[in-house]
Amino acid sequence: MRLLHTSDWHLGRSFHRVALLDAQAAFLDHLVATVREREVDAVLVAGDVYDRAVPPLAAVELFDAALHRLAEAGVPTVMISGNHDSARRLGVAAGLIQRAGIHLRTDPAGAGTPVLLADAHGDVALYGLPYLEPALVREQFGAAKAGHEAVLGAAMDRVRADLATRPDGTRSVVLAHAFVAGGEASDSERDITVGGVAAVPAGVFDGVDYVALGHLHGSQTLTERVRYSGSPLAYSFSETDHRKTMWLIDLGPDGAVDTAERIDCPVPRPLARIRGRLDDLLADPGLARHEDSWIEATLTDPVRPAEPMARLAERFPHALHLVFDPERTDDDPALSYATRLRDRSDQQIAEDFVAHVRGGAGPDSAERGVLYGAFDDVRVDSARREREVGR
């Protein structure tokens, strides 16, 4: 069975105030063309269809058109909600849409109920696990702890229990939206961990033949059977070096991944990060290849230049983002402060603040728990608000 695995469309998102709807439409054209040309048997969309709980009308219309085209192609599509989506809103009319071969899996209660497809070698059971916010689904799944590993493990227990009732030889596919250990994050995913909590181990998904992951925006192979497709477009300059693709997976008669091919997505405009003093950037002949790219420029001038963006745009008309990182000496207090904050989580920054105001004594284990709980409450409250918006 040939599967096309994609995720993280983020319909409605812009890139540094540049609208991406046309680029997203071009990607969906490409997806439908790939489905037809490569004789795909099923499309898997592993969450974050939209960029926010209440997407703009133009994004909804684009999504609606894509569903119609996939239905007209006669290719089943299995789609889950991600942490950016409103599960309730995305799942509206799911029962009716299913009649057209579009299977929306947005309700955690359906984790153990597969979409059943068949080919000449027998059945393939596809299980959709929507994004599971631990604090909101812990009781529903009877998880011992309110953590991502606990709730995903409980959901996978339901998958394995259902699979055990299926005929021998039934192949299995799981769609999930999560941060799995071994994956490499970028700046454009919304954080779904708290206080640096470890990612979910890939072993949570043991017992199934293929796991189509969403959430991380880079295409990645964690194991032969566990993969991220990544987003079809770059949504931050941290993705400058990403090759944006979909996975074309051939699932063999015995459930093995016979082939896994990366299908390149259309690139609306290349990205580039450049760094140096402004005058040097404007004069460097080696940067000519980036003159038509979207640009993030880090200026290292000791003193901020006058009108830097206007001057930069004279050579790089698609410059979008300026970062100032002045050249400093090693003992410059501003440099040391920036260094302390770089790549640190909210939890770590809060703990550093406690140590600072106490003159060096950081929080004890009980106080760390209080900080952890505060950040967790904020994140859960945000997730709950988004769920309420979808009602």
Side-chain angles (χ1 to χ4, degrees), residues 89-327:
R89 188 176 294 269
L90 183 63
V92 167
L96 182 62
I97 294 172
Q98 183 167 309
R99 297 181 185 180
I102 307 295
H103 306 273
L104 298 173
R105 291 295 189 259
T106 62
D107 185 353
T113 303
V115 176
L116 288 176
L117 304 179
D119 61 11
H121 306 288
D123 289 345
V124 178
L126 298 97
Y127 300 88
L129 311 185
Y131 170 67
L132 303 173
E133 174 56 53
L136 301 183
V137 301
R138 174 187 176 183
E139 292 184 3
Q140 180 179 350
F141 281 97
K145 299 179 180 179
H148 289 281
E149 182 176 355
V151 297
L152 263 176
M156 282 301 302
D157 285 344
R158 295 189 181 187
V159 169
R160 286 184 282 263
D162 179 83
L163 193 56
T165 69
R166 303 288 167 185
D168 290 344
T170 298
R171 289 158 289 167
S172 54
V173 175
V174 164
L175 290 78
H177 196 86
F179 194 149
V180 179
E184 183 177 344
S186 65
D187 293 341
S188 56
E189 302 105 1
R190 182 184 299 169
D191 188 16
I192 59 173
T193 64
V194 182
V197 173
V200 173
V204 164
F205 300 104
D206 285 351
V208 295
D209 295 315
Y210 184 72
V211 181
L213 293 175
H215 179 57
L216 299 185
H217 287 185
S219 178
Q220 302 172 59
T221 301
L222 304 186
T223 74
E224 190 64 19
R225 298 174 183 271
V226 182
R227 300 171 187 263
Y228 281 101
S229 68
S231 61
L233 299 171
Y235 292 117
S236 74
F237 278 103
S238 66
E239 301 171 53
T240 297
D241 296 328
H242 286 190
R243 176 187 165 196
K244 295 301 184 181
T245 60
M246 303 177 286
W247 281 113
L248 190 67
I249 301 293
D250 283 334
L251 199 64
D254 60 352
V257 176
D258 284 350
T259 62
E261 178 185 351
R262 293 178 69 182
I263 305 295
D264 288 293
C265 298
V267 178
R269 189 177 298 279
L271 273 60
R273 283 173 146 173
I274 59 177
R275 179 185 179 90
R277 296 192 178 198
L278 180 58
D279 288 341
D280 294 338
L281 297 179
L282 296 177
D284 185 354
L287 298 180
R289 67 187 187 278
H290 297 314
E291 289 176 356
D292 197 42
S293 301
W294 279 325
I295 294 289
E296 178 188 73
T298 298
L299 302 185
T300 61
D301 302 71
V303 177
R304 181 168 177 154
E307 300 183 339
M309 182 59 90
R311 292 175 60 193
L312 195 69
E314 291 177 2
R315 182 179 186 188
F316 305 101
H318 304 290
L320 298 179
H321 190 220
L322 275 181
V323 178
F324 293 96
D325 187 15
E327 299 166 354

Side-chain angles (χ1 to χ4, degrees), residues 69-94:
R69 294 168 69 188
L70 288 169
E72 289 168 2
V75 176
T77 298
V78 183
M79 182 178 297
I80 62 172
S81 50
N83 60 300
H84 279 251
D85 299 308
S86 165
R88 285 181 175 268
R89 188 176 294 269
L90 183 63
V92 167

Side-chain angles (χ1 to χ4, degrees), residues 133 135 146 194-195 347 371-382:
E133 174 56 53
V194 182
Q347 174 91 12
L371 291 171
Y372 179 98
F375 286 119
D376 196 28
D377 287 345
V378 170
R379 182 175 58 85
V380 171
D381 182 64
S382 176

